[in-house]
Structures are given as structure tokens and as C-alpha cells.
Amino acid sequence: MADQEPSLLDAFIDVYMNSLKYLDEFVSEPAKEFHLSFEQYLILREITRHRQVTLMDIASERQVTRSAVSRQIKTLLKQGYLEQQPDENDRRRLYLIATPTGAKAERVIRERISTRFQSWVDVYGEDRAKEILTFIRDFSQLTRLKK
């Protein structure tokens, strides 16, 4: 067993170096034309899907700090993809609204990601894609439990 561990570890390292670290590139490429990271796209997606979304809603949903989301939102505001709209009852509360430019960018990126994902499913098949998804979910849950 001890002899197998280093080779298994080496295989995992090899997969990471030659495959997994490029997964982010594969996923984020469709948003590059709009000068958005994949994370920024996901925030824009959340805002276009729901009404009355606040910065705190996004931070809470993603289980990250307010400042981490704030940096991403600043970029989206600066690029004209989002606007802030005060709550009529509490002017301190700001809702994030997608501009027409932001809504269009979200739609185009979503279509590109969908096409890209479907090509991946076409290669591996739906059953294999579900197996991979199940493994990633299990890995994520176990990693969180060990923290």
C-alpha cells in the first residue's frame, strides 16, 4: 500500500498540472470579450435572474466577505454592466440592477458557456458528466467537513 501512495499522489499532481488548472480557463474564456472574470459573470447572472439583489445577498449566498463581492461589483459598475438603485423605504439599502448592456452581456456569455458545456457533455456523455459532477460535489463536501 505504501508503494502505491506516491504513484497515486504523482498521478493526482500530474492531472492537476496538465488538466485541472486549465479548467478555470475553459470556463472563463466566454466572458473575456466582455472583460469579465467568471466570478464577475456569475454575479451578473445572479442579478439578472433575481430582483432586488443586494451586495450582502450575494456575499451571503457565496459565503464570502462583503469586501470580496464589493471589489467584483465595483468592476461591473465601472464597466456599465450594473447600476445601483436605492430602496424606496430605506435609501441606505442599494439594489443591484443589470443595465441593458449588462443584460445583453450576461445573455451572450450564458449562450457561449452553454454551447461550450454541451460540447463537453457530447464528448463524455451525460452519464459520465453526472458521475464527474457527483464526485466533485462529494469531494467539496468532504473538504468542507475536514476544515
Side-chain angles (χ1 to χ4, degrees):
M1 181 75 173
D3 291 336
Q4 290 178 345
E5 287 182 40
S7 67
L8 185 58
L9 174 60
D10 290 342
F12 272 93
I13 291 170
D14 185 54
V15 166
Y16 173 77
M17 293 302 295
N18 295 304
S19 303
L20 293 178
K21 71 179 186 178
Y22 298 108
L23 187 59
D24 181 52
E25 264 180 49
F26 178 82
V27 170
S28 63
E29 192 278 329
K32 283 183 182 176
E33 176 188 330
F34 296 92
H35 308 288
L36 295 175
S37 67
F38 188 65
E39 195 64 33
Q40 290 162 341
Y41 162 70
L42 291 176
I43 290 169
L44 181 60
R45 178 177 176 249
E46 179 75 17
I47 292 165
T48 60
R49 288 180 158 200
H50 300 96
R51 298 178 75 81
Q52 298 186 326
V53 176
T54 66
L55 184 149
M56 285 305 296
D57 294 334
I58 294 169
S60 177
E61 173 73 24
R62 297 182 185 285
Q63 299 177 5
V64 297
T65 65
R66 185 179 184 275
S67 63
V69 173
S70 181
R71 286 189 296 273
Q72 304 295 341
I73 288 174
K74 280 182 187 175
T75 300
L76 291 164
L77 290 165
K78 191 177 198 178
Q79 292 180 337
Y81 294 128
L82 294 181
E83 302 176 329
Q84 293 179 319
Q85 183 179 65
D87 183 327
E88 291 178 11
N89 299 319
D90 182 354
R91 308 285 293 162
R92 296 170 296 170
R93 185 180 179 111
L94 297 173
Y95 294 119
L96 298 163
I97 311 293
T99 64
T101 302
K104 180 181 177 188
E106 189 282 328
R107 188 185 79 253
V108 170
I109 295 167
R110 178 176 17 96
E111 289 168 359
R112 289 177 182 174
I113 288 171
S114 181
T115 299
R116 205 169 179 130
F117 179 75
Q118 188 57 52
S119 70
W120 182 74
V121 172
D122 291 345
V123 168
Y124 291 101
E126 193 168 326
D127 289 342
R128 184 91 189 263
K130 287 178 181 178
E131 287 174 21
I132 293 167
L133 184 59
T134 298
F135 171 77
I136 293 169
R137 282 182 178 150
D138 289 348
F139 181 82
S140 179
Q141 283 181 328
L142 285 172
T143 302
R144 283 190 207 132
L145 291 174
K146 298 218 180 222
K147 283 186 177 180

